[in-house]
Amino acid sequence: MNKKELKQMFLEKYGESNRSYRVFNAPGRVNLIGEHLDYNGGYVLPAALEFGTTLVIRERDDQKISFSSTNFSFESTISLQDDFEKSGQWIDYPVGVINELHKLGYRFSKGYDLLYHGDIPNGSGLSSSASIEVVTAYALLVMEGHETDTIEIAKLSQKAENLFVGVNSGIMDQFAVANGRKDHAILLMCDTLEYDLVPFHTGAYKIVIANTKKQRGLVDSKYNERRSECDQALEILKKELSTLSFLAQLRPEQFISLQDHIKDETIRRRAQHVVEENQRVLDSVEALKKGDLETFGQYMNQSHDSLRYLYEVTGDELDAMVEEFQRQSGTLGARMTGAGFGGCTVALVHEDEVDRVIKEVAHHYEARTGLKPEFYVCGVGQGVHEVKEML
Ligand code: GLA
């Protein structure tokens, strides 16, 4: 949908007015490495995408907020004076954010008409929900003349998702969407929320994201299961090391000396993934700083293996996609990205080979799984921002 069409659609839904529009955008995210580490207090390395959610917003005269979207048919209007209730629809994401803003003491001076347009495929694991949350918080704060602290916005958006929507996710997605910087990855320490922007210059290599099109049906229950397995590992290891507050605090050599205290083999493997993946993120950043993309690609491959065999969050489709990429010359590395159990993979592919690699991978993946994948060749985009030039 282009800008003109979006403006037209806004007018069709909400009618003409002498009040002016403003337009905001929040990107999706891809996690380059460091999976299932955010809720274990470790390092992650996500980057903002060049596509995301655009929000057109205009003031209205009453104390109501209207929601509509080009992606979903469900539309609704809520009153800012009533209690906010869950509807089981997509608007739970923005309503959850408004609820959090209220809890933080923000009161709106007026109502708003909102139209969302997302170009992140829903359910693909590229954080369409985080982009809706973050763009809502940012836009409303700007409209009301408040400061926009993008770290606070990430935190309140995560709370909206955890407490209102009821999905127990970590901070990574909202943080990346709120704080991403063009051509940079974000090295985020999830325990303290300290972060560094790491230049992500891929030279002749492109980021290729592949959507397996596998429905992520089990994602919530399995995600919560992994979180509780990590909690169990932490409880056991805390008895040996009382200063331990997060699993990812353990260095690999410490883990080796403590691991026998975890009797359950499954729980031990989960903890091993967390500790080793955390180290891999730090090693990856060193490789990127030296411009050594080959080594970075190897870490991506190792990360996938760890998620496949130790953390067990991949599944046939993600494994097939990653294997097909890894078989291609011109690919430096490939791995699943996000929660797993479906969704997307990310690979680094030489620009001269991208078209051929995508064709081959698509062909073999479809033959193996019966699913028609989608591919996005993209660069690293900007975190949440106002789109000044748009309407
Ligand atoms: C999902 C969650 C994130 C993170 C990843 C796994 O995307 O929303 O918080 O835990 O899974 O790394």
Side-chain angles (χ1 to χ4, degrees):
M1 173 156 308
N2 65 32
K3 297 169 189 177
K4 225 173 125 195
E5 287 165 345
L6 196 56
K7 182 177 174 184
Q8 192 52 39
M9 191 141 178
F10 188 94
L11 290 179
E12 273 163 30
K13 290 201 181 289
Y14 298 118
E16 297 276 357
S17 148
N18 51 7
R19 296 184 184 273
S20 52
Y21 321 79
R22 286 173 83 167
V23 182
F24 297 86
N25 178 272
R29 68 94 189 90
V30 60
N31 189 21
L32 297 168
I33 198 158
E35 217 64 83
H36 288 275
L37 287 189
D38 55 357
Y39 55 85
N40 283 304
Y43 286 100
V44 292
L45 194 69
L49 295 172
E50 283 172 330
F51 45 86
T53 301
T54 301
L55 169 59
V56 186
I57 181 167
R58 192 178 68 190
E59 286 173 13
R60 48 190 280 165
D61 295 323
D62 52 15
Q63 279 277 309
K64 289 186 173 162
I65 299 204
S66 283
F67 300 94
S68 59
S69 161
T70 62
N71 306 84
F72 308 98
S73 55
F74 183 84
E75 300 181 351
S76 184
T77 300
I78 62 162
S79 162
L80 285 167
Q81 272 122 8
D82 298 345
D83 285 342
F84 303 117
E85 274 169 29
K86 240 183 111 164
S87 62
Q89 296 285 344
W90 70 274
I91 65 158
D92 285 346
Y93 295 102
V95 175
V97 164
I98 294 168
N99 189 39
E100 281 309 316
L101 287 169
H102 259 234
K103 287 205 273 181
L104 289 169
Y106 290 102
R107 293 291 172 267
F108 298 142
S109 55
K110 42 200 155 330
Y112 295 97
D113 288 326
L114 309 178
L115 173 65
Y116 293 82
H117 171 66
D119 43 23
I120 310 170
N122 293 317
S124 59
L126 299 177
S127 296
S128 54
S129 49
S131 76
I132 293 177
E133 290 153 6
V134 167
V135 79
T136 305
Y138 188 87
L140 288 171
L141 288 172
V142 171
M143 296 300 282
E144 289 284 321
H146 294 297
E147 296 243 317
T148 50
D149 176 334
T150 46
I151 296 184
E152 291 308 316
I153 287 176
K155 286 200 222 164
L156 75 89
S157 298
Q158 184 204 5
K159 273 207 183 131
E161 180 137 354
N162 292 173
L163 304 176
F164 196 82
V165 181
V167 177
N168 209 8
S169 53
I171 187 72
M172 172 173 76
D173 303 346
Q174 289 82 3
F175 198 94
V177 165
N179 297 289
R181 178 84 56 84
K182 184 138 190 56
D183 297 329
H184 288 74
I186 306 171
L187 174 64
L188 171 65
M189 193 335 128
C190 298
D191 175 15
T192 59
L193 296 191
E194 281 168 61
Y195 72 105
D196 248 345
L197 293 169
V198 181
F200 192 63
H201 298 302
T202 50
Y205 286 85
K206 296 271 179 219
I207 301 173
V208 180
I209 295 174
N211 188 346
T212 60
K213 291 294 190 73
K214 153 91 171 141
Q215 292 302 320
R216 301 188 309 148
L218 284 174
V219 69
D220 289 350
S221 60
K222 290 285 178 192
Y223 187 88
N224 288 338
E225 188 180 289
R226 292 297 173 277
R227 287 193 72 142
S228 101
E229 287 164 346
C230 289
D231 290 345
Q232 291 174 51
L234 180 64
E235 282 316 305
I236 297 167
L237 296 178
K238 257 184 175 170
K239 290 192 190 119
E240 312 305 318
L241 195 67
S242 57
T243 51
L244 195 68
S245 42
F246 292 104
L247 263 192
Q249 264 175 335
L250 283 176
R251 289 188 304 278
E253 60 278 13
Q254 277 177 305
F255 178 72
I256 289 170
S257 69
L258 289 172
Q259 61 178 345
D260 288 345
H261 293 284
I262 309 177
K263 301 291 174 222
D264 183 316
E265 205 239 322
T266 304
I267 306 283
R268 196 162 59 235
R269 280 189 285 131
R270 306 298 189 240
Q272 186 185 343
H273 164 76
V274 170
V275 172
E276 291 177 355
E277 179 83 349
N278 197 49
Q279 186 59 44
R280 252 191 305 273
V281 177
L282 296 173
D283 294 342
S284 295
V285 170
E286 285 313 303
L288 285 177
K289 283 185 177 159
K290 287 188 208 137
D292 182 357
L293 283 179
E294 267 101 49
T295 302
F296 179 62
Q298 283 160 19
Y299 291 137
M300 291 174 82
N301 294 339
Q302 288 170 17
S303 169
H304 186 85
D305 283 347
S306 182
L307 290 156
R308 178 175 183 173
Y309 298 113
L310 298 178
Y311 215 68
E312 295 179 287
V313 289
T314 57
D316 293 346
E317 294 77 8
L318 285 166
D319 291 336
M321 187 73 88
V322 163
E323 279 169 14
E324 292 306 328
F325 269 104
Q326 289 173 344
R327 270 157 34 122
Q328 300 294 328
S329 64
T331 299
L332 290 182
R335 59 184 291 279
M336 58 153 267
T337 184
F341 307 107
C344 288
T345 64
V346 55
L348 277 182
V349 181
H350 195 280
E351 59 190 1
D352 297 342
E353 305 268 19
V354 167
D355 292 345
R356 181 192 60 76
V357 167
I358 287 180
K359 221 165 131 202
E360 298 253 340
V361 170
H363 173 76
H364 292 294
Y365 175 79
E366 195 177 339
R368 284 175 69 170
T369 63
L371 295 169
K372 252 194 189 332
E374 261 177 28
F375 298 86
Y376 323 106
V377 182
C378 52
V380 175
Q382 184 67 22
V384 67
H385 58 280
E386 182 165 5
V387 186
K388 297 263 185 203
E389 74 283 8
M390 188 150 161
L391 293 177

